[in-house]
């Protein structure tokens, strides 16, 4: 397992997740801002792509229905978990 690649991918997921959350909060008070809505949709699309790529390489980031197991055994007992990195 390449720890550097895992960390780099996780950092990118967290960066885009931050962007999506900030845009979400902005849109709560500016719901008619079409540019912000477009940016939000792009960020969410990229976030879903990056999460899928990370999970394909290193296993699930979330549980309780957010991350399906794709062709591998149950992985929550394997480490390191994202919050342990």
């Amino acid at each position: 397992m390449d720890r550097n690649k895992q960390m780099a991918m996780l950092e990118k997921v967290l960066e885009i997740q931050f962007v999506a959350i900030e845009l979400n909060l902005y849109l709560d008070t500016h719901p008619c801002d079409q540019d912000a809505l477009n940016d939000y949709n792009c960020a969410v699309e990229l976030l879903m792509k990056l999460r899928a790529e990370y999970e394909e390489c290193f296993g699930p980031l979330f549980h309780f229905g957010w991350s399906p197991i794709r062709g591998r055994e149950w992985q929550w007992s394997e480490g390191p978990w994202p919050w342990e990195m």
Side-chain angles (χ1 to χ4, degrees), residues 38-82:
N38 291 339
D39 290 345
Y40 172 80
N41 286 332
C42 288
V44 169
E45 186 176 320
L46 179 56
L47 178 59
M48 290 176 8
K49 177 182 175 284
L50 292 172
R51 275 187 44 204
E53 289 173 1
Y54 178 94
E55 290 178 345
E56 185 66 32
C57 292
F58 302 108
L61 282 169
F62 305 100
H63 53 62
F64 300 122
W66 287 96
S67 298
I69 303 300
R70 293 183 178 90
R72 301 195 305 222
E73 67 278 353
W74 189 250
Q75 296 174 322
W76 279 106
S77 60
E78 298 176 17
W81 293 354

Side-chain angles (χ1 to χ4, degrees), residues 23 26-27 29-40:
L23 286 166
Y26 175 81
L27 285 164
T29 58
H30 300 81
C32 296
D33 187 333
Q34 193 62 47
D35 290 333
L37 184 57
N38 291 339
D39 290 345
Y40 172 80

